[in-house]
């Protein structure tokens, strides 16, 4: 709700008058009404209210504090009015009514109010409240100790003002309020001093790495408790990290939500727990827990970035200190998942150190690090548990656990006898299935990035690490390979040529790429995959090949193919990191940044995608942390890998090469000199960035986004010419649609899939998935689910095309539009 300035000014005068009259009954509700009106901002004439309060008598001030503190706890937790009361107290910070004379329930209410803050800026009040409680012999609540600790660690003057108080506080070993810390405190209290001391030692992990002294103390504390017992306690604690807070904190007006982050005091304890795990004998469960902790700690939070990179780094350091296959596997898996630069650097350092210790190349270590997870043959393992057989099987991108009884008959759920008599084996099987899912995704992404690595394997090593590996084999057997110059795929238990001739031996193997092959051969391999029912883990035979256009030959040294797009910056930033590009977020500051860069050391090249922040004078297009919400795109260029860096102002402007010591500028590499495979893969990456990150993909932006500024772009992208990826999708749909149950209602014309429903005929754009309907090409907004399940369409030649799944799901819904029940969709029909 908005208020007129005159209305606000009138209420300010009214409240000032009530304060002057010391009308406490009417002041509190009117003061809170004014806080609601100004949104907690007390600048300008709002300060007159506090001048009046400070001029009032001590008795009035004391009663006002009492009533506001009591009113706070009457309001709904997390509500705006609670924030308004906090803002009032912040403005009253210089007011010092006789705290000693306050009622005990007032003090208790102030302590409770403080305990619900992430940090408390009135450090003097924290100190006085603590002193008064201690003088009366009362124990400080753990939640109050927690806010003192957080304020000590977070405020710029926290250590100076709160250092003495923190040093003498006798509080819990870790701060309560988080799921893992609550459980840890409860179990430590139940188990005795040894566990409390261990937990307290974990909270002293304030350095980047544990010192020798820290490790000695940790080992001394672990020994009497037993290594197995310590592991059995620590792992469940770590599995709770990232769960919602058990005692939510009040969200501030500005900045990230503290409930989505780690308590900063507990973050040190989490680092310590990770280090303690690395002091125990190596165990697969420890490695799993540390890998999960690293990923949880790097989860993105709006306005903040990663939750807590220090905790993630501690988990990586712990894995690096552990021996065994499981720890190495987690390190290798995390390198394919982690995009945060600092943590990724630690991962690379750890794997490089392992490679050096083993006398192997880094790539070989990553290949050898993939465990079998109990699979005894490629993608399959049977486990006998009493009279029941458990089958762990890889089906596509997932591991599936199924059961059969003594007679071999399949049963739907886990038999009761297994739950009762084989609980540990069941737990390990379920954990293995989850591990396989994570590793399959990681290995698929690693293989998808192999095309530019120029890897060649000796045939025997390749068979061991890829084709016949129990887990990686489920991916490798769905890909095409070149064996001594002959292309081969795996079918019917053998490597086979296009004519199905077995390939039983070889010398060297490479991953096959369609660049450089005749279109007829590529089509033939697509038919071969379909004939054998093989669904590839990513696009290979159907992979887009980007050839030089006439326009690119004319420009000579740069491609404008993906220029003039508007991308969501943070989505682009994450996707670029996953694809191996280095990028710097564009901030609305007076600074420069390099383009998005992918270094290609095997080719001696550096690819650049030129981008700039987009906002103009629209400050609502900038996040609280100062980064642009959107980017505008420009050229793609190639340079020698050692060429000086280009950069441009974050807000836009010309890119320039930074030259030092009188060095001459280095010209970009002519596009005709870029190897076709490199050109194709780099442009494919950029096409992916645009295809995923473009605001033109947002079905809710039919009005052109904020102030309609992007209407022209949204329309041109959302219904315009198809890019290479969309053309591939079109070709696949032409083969797929005739096999569907809705085939008689569907036709493909140009860039649209036409679907005939009962209410309307619909046109689904094959690039964006946006929909037009009769009459007059009216826009139909259908927002897909964040992770839509692909409909049952029968055979698909590859996995991973989310837009294909979106288009098919929309087509199936619209073909039977009389059964649509969603009110948002129905209102448009």
């Amino acid at each position: 709700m908005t208020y007129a300035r005159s209305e606000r000014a009138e209420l300010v005068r009214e409240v000032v008058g009530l304060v002057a009259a010391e009308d406490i009954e009417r002041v509190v509700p009117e003061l809170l009404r004014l806080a609601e009106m100004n949104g907690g901002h007390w600048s300008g004439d709002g300060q007159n209210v506090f001048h009046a309060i400070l001029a009032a008598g001590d008795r009035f001030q004391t009663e006002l504090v009492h009533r506001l503190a009591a009113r706070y706890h009457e309001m709904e937790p997390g509500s705006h009015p609670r924030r308004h009361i906090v803002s009032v107290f912040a403005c009253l910070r210089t007011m010092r009514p006789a705290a000693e004379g306050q009622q005990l329930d007032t003090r208790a209410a102030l302590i409770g109010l403080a305990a619900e803050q992430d940090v408390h800026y009135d450090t003097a009040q924290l100190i006085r409240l603590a002193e008064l409680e201690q003088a009366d012999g009362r124990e400080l609540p753990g939640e109050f100790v927690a806010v003192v600790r957080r304020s000590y660690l977070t405020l710029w003057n926290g250590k100076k003002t709160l250092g003495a108080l923190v040093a003498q506080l006798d509080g819990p070993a870790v701060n309560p309020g988080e799921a893992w810390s609550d459980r840890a405190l409860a179990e430590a209290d139940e188990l005795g001093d040894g566990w409390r001391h261990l937990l307290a030692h974990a909270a002293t992990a304030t350095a980047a790495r544990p010192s020798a002294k820290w490790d000695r103390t940790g080992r001394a504390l672990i020994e009497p408790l037993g290594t197995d017992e310590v592991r059995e306690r620590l792992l469940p604690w770590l599995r709770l990290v990232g769960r919602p807070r058990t005692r939510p904190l009040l969200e501030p007006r500005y900045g990230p939500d503290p409930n989505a982050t780690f308590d900063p005091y507990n973050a040190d304890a989490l680092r310590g727990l990770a280090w303690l795990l690395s002091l125990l004998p190596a165990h697969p469960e420890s490695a799993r827990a540390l890998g999960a902790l690293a990923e949880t700690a790097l989860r993105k939070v709006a306005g903040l970035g990663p939750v807590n990179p220090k905790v993630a780094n501690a988990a990586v350091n712990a894995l690096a200190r552990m021996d065994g296959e499981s720890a190495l596997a987690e390190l290798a898996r995390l390198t394919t998942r982690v995009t945060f630069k600092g943590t990724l650097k630690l991962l690379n350092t750890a794997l490089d150190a392992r490679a050096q210790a083993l006398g192997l190349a880094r790539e070989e270590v990553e290949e050898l690090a993939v465990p079998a997870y109990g699979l005894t043959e490629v993608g399959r393992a049977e486990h006998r548990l009493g009279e029941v057989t458990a089958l762990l099987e890889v089906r596509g991108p997932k591991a599936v656990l199924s059961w059969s009884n003594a007679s071999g008959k399949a049963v739907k759920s886990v038999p009761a006898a297994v739950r009762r008599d084989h609980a540990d084996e069941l737990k390990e099987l379920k954990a293995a299935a989850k591990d396989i899912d994570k590793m399959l995704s990681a290995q698929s992404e690693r293989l998808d990035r192999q095309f530019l690595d120029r890897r060649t394997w000796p045939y025997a090593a390749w068979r061991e690490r890829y084709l016949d590996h129990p887990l990686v084999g489920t991916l490798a057997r769905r890909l095409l390979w070149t064996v001594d110059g002959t292309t081969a795929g795996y079918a019917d238990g053998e490597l086979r040529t296009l004519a199905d001739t077995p390939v039983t031996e070889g010398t060297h193997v490479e991953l096959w790429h369609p660049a450089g092959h005749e279109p007829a051969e590529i089509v033939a391999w697509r038919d071969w995959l379909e004939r054998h029912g093989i669904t590839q883990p990513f696009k290979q035979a159907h992979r887009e090949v980007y050839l030089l256009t006439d326009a690119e030959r004319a420009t000579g040294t740069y491609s404008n193919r993906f220029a003039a797009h508007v991308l969501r910056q943070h989505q682009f930033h994450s996707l670029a990191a996953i694809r191996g590009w280095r990028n710097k977020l564009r901030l609305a500051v007076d600074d420069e940044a390099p383009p998005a860069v992918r270094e290609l050391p095997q080719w001696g090249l550096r690819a650049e995608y030129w981008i700039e922040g987009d906002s103009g004078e629209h400050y609502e297009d900038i996040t609280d942390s100062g980064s642009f919400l959107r980017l505008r795109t420009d050229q793609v260029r190639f340079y020698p890998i050692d060429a000086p860096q280009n950069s441009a102002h974050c807000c836009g402007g010309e890119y320039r090469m930074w030259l030092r010591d009188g060095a001459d500028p280095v010209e970009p590499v002519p596009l005709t000199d870029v190897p076709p495979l490199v050109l194709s893969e780099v442009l494919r990456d950029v096409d992916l960035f645009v295809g995923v990150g473009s605001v033109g993909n947002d079905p809710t932006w039919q009005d052109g986004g904020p102030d309609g500024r992007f209407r022209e772009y949204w329309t041109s992208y959302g219904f315009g010419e198809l890019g290479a990826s969309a053309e591939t999708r079109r070709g696949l749909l032409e083969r797929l649609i005739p096999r569907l149950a809705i085939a008689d209602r569907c036709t493909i014309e140009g860039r649209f899939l036409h679907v005939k429903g009962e209410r309307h005929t619909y046109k689904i754009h094959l690039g964006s998935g946006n929909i037009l309907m009769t009459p007059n090409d009216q826009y139909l907004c259908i927002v897909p689910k964040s992770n839509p399940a692909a409909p049952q369409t029968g055979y698909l030649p590859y996995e991973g095309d989310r837009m294909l799944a979106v288009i098919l799901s929309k087509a199936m819904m619209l073909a039977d539009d009389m059964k649509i029940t969603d009110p948002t969709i129905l209102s448009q029909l």
Side-chain angles (χ1 to χ4, degrees), residues 411-424:
V411 292
K412 292 184 178 180
S413 59
V414 182
V418 173
R419 297 182 185 274
R420 183 183 66 246
D421 301 331
H422 303 277
D424 290 342

Side-chain angles (χ1 to χ4, degrees), residues 364-478:
E364 291 181 284
V365 170
E366 291 180 354
E367 292 166 355
L368 295 171
V370 184
Y373 295 115
L375 298 174
T376 53
E377 51 188 296
V378 176
R380 194 175 189 278
E382 286 189 0
H383 298 270
R384 189 76 175 175
L385 305 178
E387 294 186 348
V388 176
T389 299
L391 174 62
L392 182 60
E393 192 172 25
V394 176
R395 299 178 188 169
K398 293 287 184 181
V400 177
L401 190 58
S402 57
W403 304 88
S404 57
N405 59 23
S407 62
K409 183 179 179 181
V411 292
K412 292 184 178 180
S413 59
V414 182
V418 173
R419 297 182 185 274
R420 183 183 66 246
D421 301 331
H422 303 277
D424 290 342
E425 293 97 322
L426 176 61
K427 177 182 176 182
E428 186 59 34
L429 280 172
K430 289 183 175 180
K434 291 181 180 179
D435 287 344
I436 289 171
D437 287 350
K438 291 180 180 179
M439 188 58 82
L440 279 172
S441 174
Q443 291 302 311
S444 179
E445 289 174 7
R446 184 176 69 84
L447 281 165
D448 195 16
R449 295 202 299 260
Q450 290 284 312
F451 293 106
L452 288 175
D453 287 348
R454 308 184 85 171
R455 289 293 306 282
T456 300
W457 296 268
Y459 181 81
W462 170 76
R463 286 211 64 127
E464 177 187 357
R465 299 174 193 173
Y466 285 88
L467 198 68
D468 297 330
H469 187 280
L471 186 140
V472 183
T474 64
L475 302 171
R477 292 185 177 190
R478 294 188 284 144

